[in-house]
Amino acid sequence: MTQTMFDTVLVANRGEIAVRVIRTLRSLGVRSVAVFSDADADARHVREADTAVRIGPAPAAESYLSVERLLEAAARTGAQAVHPGYGFLAENAGFARACADAGLVFIGPPAEAISLMGDKIRAKETVRAAGVPVVPGSSGSGLTDGQLADAAREIGMPVLLKPSAGGGGKGMRLVRDAARLADEIAAARREARASFGDDTLLVERWVDRPRHIEIQVLADGHGNVVHLGERECSLQRRHQKIIEEAPSVLLDEATRAGMGEAAVQAARSCGYRGAGTVEFIVPGGDPSSYYFMEMNTRLQVEHPVTELITGLDLVEWQLRVAAGERLAFGQDDVTLTGHAIEARICAEDPARGFLPSGGTVLRLREPQGDGVRTDSGLSEGTEVGSLYDPMLSKVIAYGPDRQTALRKLRKALAGTVTLGVQTNAGFLRRLLAHPAVVAGELDTGLVERVVDDLVCTDVPDEVYEAAAAVRLDALRPRGAGWTDPFSVPSGWRLGGTPRPVSFPLRITEPVEYAPRGTHTVTDDQVAVTVDGVRHTFRFAALPDGIWLGRDGDAWHVRDHDPVAASLTGAAHAGADSLTAPMPGTVTVVKVAVGDEVTAGQSLLVVEAMKMEHVISAPHAGTVAELDVTPGTTVAMDQVLAVIAPHEEAAE
């Protein structure tokens, strides 16, 4: 039995998971090697590693997804093993084989297990043979569009279309109307092909108001497999998890033991080794009727909640198992203590329909301690672009019970500051206070049903008050000695009534705002009093505006120049213009200049941070201008096309 830990491990990933893995490597005395693209040359994971290697330009296909360049980096630095993190090549059987062929230990399961469980169709057949219950759905691989549609109608609507390869909700489509099957199958194939290089789909019965519960398993190379309890992952948007917790309030001990044993059998059925997760769909009204969905053959984003309630470092055990060690404990030794909840902080703007955002991190405050942990890849100065996944960090809270953990997490999110980039932190804080969440009455559709009540689109008066206060303070004379009275921003006028000093500001619409209450401004904090209530914000001032943050929410207040706005907006004003809703890349262009289009017709697709957004015609008309082609990189609000309306539409 090998007991020798690796000397050097290459982390084939970026962002918060790379920082997370490096932390455990450091605690074990193992030398860490980071890799980076040109976009990440000054990233936090690069600075925290013992050494780092450039592996290519910014696009992931030429850097983080390049097996050849990763293996070259490992050879140059003397790495003995590779930790893939999650995402990118973490579940790529070819990468695992390439590591083995190069004499490197892949810190994950055998390539055969990745291949088997990465094919959702084969995975279902394999675990079904091992006695694990599965969701009713299509059978066989390589089904045509027509066969998928026929299978969907046979199963009965609603159904869920899923890519056979990959995960993370990419390419999944919930279809309730059979008439929409053809369009949804085409869209699911396109997204699956873009995300995973494989557009094979399967179709499954959709369970209304289901709960998503997963079991963490750990297996060594000596035949020992244990489970570490469950995680509740039912709070999701667009089939992607945003809040996870352990344990689940739904399960009793008998159901937990049954699901745990099913997960162990699923792991054994594919010869699993390392840390993995078996995911189940569970009818909320009958938790004893659970169905296998898929197995994630890697570390999960939400692994910290399991670490907090078990006291185990899952990355450490990934390393120990990969080094040949036996598990030092059996199933009876695993105990679950307390409760942990995690929130995923993503670069997205809730007020704009959760579209991906970007920018430079100007101010950063991430809570730690007193039962709170933040796993992050951020630092002040980090550039958040549109090339990679939008998740920036995770805030995790632990307490002796669920209510304490919820309370701590809400407070931690309120104290999270990421100015310069819009995030969902404030939205998550409000979600965690929703009565259904507090009561533990969860299902995978809950967030979509209540989302409108949790998104703040109106700008509170105190935001403009704080922005104007910061601008006013910046005009005040600094230094000792005589002060020219005409330089003091007091609104004083010779022989006239003083006028309040006002500032033209803009968040969505321009406003002229004069501070009307008391205020205090320090280096990065502004406190204002409006209608007798004191409000405190963190801020970051820019030459053309101010970022303000409070309770997890953030506002970018720009200085408004009416003359400049009229000049820059004149060329493409009005409802005829189609603009980019987010910074990203145009992936599909379906029309050309001169084409006739109908209202609502799909014209273009913009992709950012692995998310597609369809741009549709605002009205019937003719394509008068088309400023992009497939592959064009666009900024938020950049004009993509102009649709000249038909005369009757214009009238």
Side-chain angles (χ1 to χ4, degrees):
M1 177 177 63
T2 302
Q3 294 288 344
T4 303
M5 180 52 67
F6 309 109
D7 293 322
T8 303
V9 172
L10 181 140
V11 183
N13 219 296
R14 65 179 298 278
E16 61 88 19
I17 183 55
V19 174
R20 162 72 189 92
V21 173
I22 290 167
R23 184 171 71 235
T24 290
L25 291 173
R26 186 184 305 119
S27 71
L28 294 174
V30 178
R31 178 171 170 260
S32 58
V33 179
V35 294
F36 63 92
S37 71
D38 289 343
D40 285 336
D42 192 39
R44 179 175 167 184
H45 76 279
V46 174
R47 298 197 306 270
E48 295 198 5
D50 293 307
T51 190
V53 180
R54 177 189 178 274
I55 54 170
E62 302 175 55
S63 52
Y64 296 107
L65 291 173
S66 173
V67 173
E68 180 182 1
R69 294 180 181 182
L70 290 167
L71 296 182
E72 287 175 355
R76 290 172 57 189
T77 55
Q80 300 153 304
V82 174
H83 194 301
Y86 38 67
F88 291 136
L89 297 171
E91 293 179 287
N92 187 296
F95 182 48
R97 291 190 186 96
C99 287
D101 292 342
L104 295 165
V105 175
F106 180 79
I107 300 175
E112 294 74 18
I114 297 175
S115 179
L116 174 57
M117 287 299 169
D119 183 334
K120 292 182 176 61
I121 296 169
R122 290 177 58 211
K124 286 178 64 175
E125 294 169 350
T126 300
V127 302
R128 181 192 287 118
V132 179
V134 301
V135 182
S138 60
S139 59
S141 184
L143 299 184
T144 65
D145 289 6
Q147 289 171 325
L148 284 168
D150 290 343
R153 294 186 183 94
E154 184 177 344
I155 294 167
M157 311 304 286
V159 297
L160 189 64
L161 296 169
K162 298 173 66 174
S164 181
K170 305 296 187 302
M172 290 174 58
R173 291 287 194 280
L174 172 60
V175 188
R176 295 186 179 276
D177 181 359
R180 294 282 305 160
L181 278 169
D183 289 343
E184 295 292 356
I185 289 170
R189 284 203 195 277
R190 184 171 63 247
E191 190 172 349
R193 186 165 51 249
S195 298
F196 314 118
D198 182 346
D199 65 0
T200 304
L201 301 179
L202 67 145
V203 60
E204 291 180 344
R205 175 188 297 167
W206 173 255
V207 179
D208 271 319
R209 300 219 171 184
R211 294 177 78 134
H212 184 149
I213 296 179
E214 61 189 29
I215 305 291
Q216 176 71 58
V217 296
L218 197 58
D220 63 23
H222 305 275
N224 302 303
V225 186
V226 299
H227 72 83
L228 306 180
E230 80 281 1
R231 294 185 289 255
E232 171 95 49
C233 306
S234 297
L235 293 177
Q236 304 178 6
R237 287 196 64 258
R238 300 180 181 133
H239 305 296
Q240 294 202 337
K241 307 164 190 173
I242 54 176
I243 301 286
E244 302 100 341
E245 61 182 295
S248 168
V249 298
L250 182 67
L251 304 190
D252 56 26
E253 287 300 326
T255 306
R256 177 174 295 114
M259 290 182 69
E261 179 57 27
V264 167
Q265 292 305 316
R268 290 189 186 280
S269 72
C270 66
Y272 201 80
R273 183 179 67 243
T277 302
V278 182
E279 304 199 2
F280 294 91
I281 197 78
V282 183
D286 183 14
S288 63
S289 299
Y290 47 85
Y291 303 104
F292 169 89
M293 287 196 301
E294 61 187 0
M295 183 174 188
N296 288 297
T297 54
R298 54 170 167 80
L299 195 68
Q300 289 279 81
V301 172
E302 56 272 20
H303 74 273
V305 296
T306 297
E307 292 184 323
L308 289 172
I309 67 167
T310 61
L312 298 170
D313 183 329
L314 293 187
V315 174
E316 177 180 345
W317 276 105
Q318 283 187 297
L319 291 161
R320 292 191 180 281
V321 166
E325 293 188 27
R326 292 179 180 272
L327 294 180
F329 50 87
Q331 191 62 62
D332 292 342
D333 300 313
V334 177
T335 58
L336 311 182
T337 305
H339 203 96
I341 311 177
E342 172 183 289
R344 301 189 186 192
I345 308 298
C346 295
E348 59 185 19
D349 188 350
R352 293 172 63 99
F354 294 88
L355 290 174
S357 62
T360 302
V361 179
L362 306 171
R363 292 282 185 275
L364 184 66
R365 297 288 184 276
E366 296 181 317
Q368 296 280 5
D370 189 28
V372 174
R373 160 180 164 182
T374 299
D375 285 9
S376 171
L378 295 178
S379 55
E380 290 189 357
T382 296
E383 292 283 344
V384 178
S386 61
L387 291 171
Y388 308 125
D389 192 272
M391 194 179 74
L392 305 176
S393 62
K394 305 173 306 196
V395 183
I396 313 104
Y398 173 81
D401 52 63
R402 186 172 186 268
Q403 293 307 314
T404 302
L406 275 171
R407 196 162 52 245
K408 285 188 175 185
L409 186 51
R410 288 195 296 265
K411 182 179 179 182
L413 290 170
T416 298
V417 177
T418 314
L419 299 185
V421 180
Q422 285 288 0
T423 76
N424 60 342
F427 168 80
L428 295 177
R429 179 182 59 81
R430 289 184 287 275
L431 173 61
L432 290 167
H434 190 277
V437 176
V438 173
E441 297 170 354
L442 315 177
D443 65 78
T444 58
L446 173 63
V447 176
E448 302 293 353
R449 294 197 301 273
V450 303
V451 64
D452 291 342
D453 298 329
L454 305 175
V455 174
C456 296
T457 55
D458 296 333
V459 181
D461 285 347
E462 59 266 22
V463 172
Y464 288 114
E465 182 78 17
V470 173
R471 279 291 180 248
L472 183 64
D473 184 76
L475 296 176
R476 297 189 186 283
R478 298 294 194 266
W482 181 81
T483 300
D484 181 352
F486 290 96
S487 69
V488 177
S490 63
W492 178 82
R493 293 188 301 158
L494 181 65
T497 303
R499 281 184 179 175
V501 178
S502 62
F503 300 88
L505 304 172
R506 183 187 187 100
I507 296 179
T508 53
E509 300 296 327
V511 298
E512 187 78 19
Y513 197 93
R516 64 177 187 266
T518 60
H519 62 266
T520 304
V521 181
T522 59
D523 288 341
D524 68 345
Q525 195 164 292
V526 54
V528 297
T529 301
V530 177
D531 297 331
V533 179
R534 187 175 176 83
H535 306 271
T536 301
F537 297 83
R538 296 279 184 181
F539 77 88
L542 295 168
D544 62 346
I546 298 165
W547 276 87
L548 293 162
R550 177 188 65 180
D551 292 340
D553 291 310
W555 297 266
H556 186 189
V557 188
R558 295 175 174 86
D559 297 336
H560 179 64
D561 184 338
V563 175
S566 64
L567 291 175
T568 58
H572 295 293
D576 299 348
S577 300
L578 299 176
T579 58
M582 57 191 180
T585 302
V586 176
T587 57
V588 177
V589 176
K590 300 181 178 181
V591 292
V593 172
D595 284 358
E596 299 288 317
V597 298
T598 58
Q601 180 179 335
S602 172
L603 308 181
L604 308 123
V605 176
V606 177
E607 180 182 318
M609 297 179 176
K610 302 180 181 179
M611 172 184 167
E612 281 190 350
H613 189 85
V614 177
I615 309 296
S616 301
H619 47 241
T622 304
V623 179
E625 294 184 30
L626 184 63
D627 300 331
V628 295
T629 58
T632 300
T633 300
V634 295
M636 187 164 67
D637 296 328
Q638 178 177 331
V639 174
L640 308 176
V642 176
I643 308 302
H646 291 152
E647 290 185 8
E648 60 272 20
E651 292 171 0

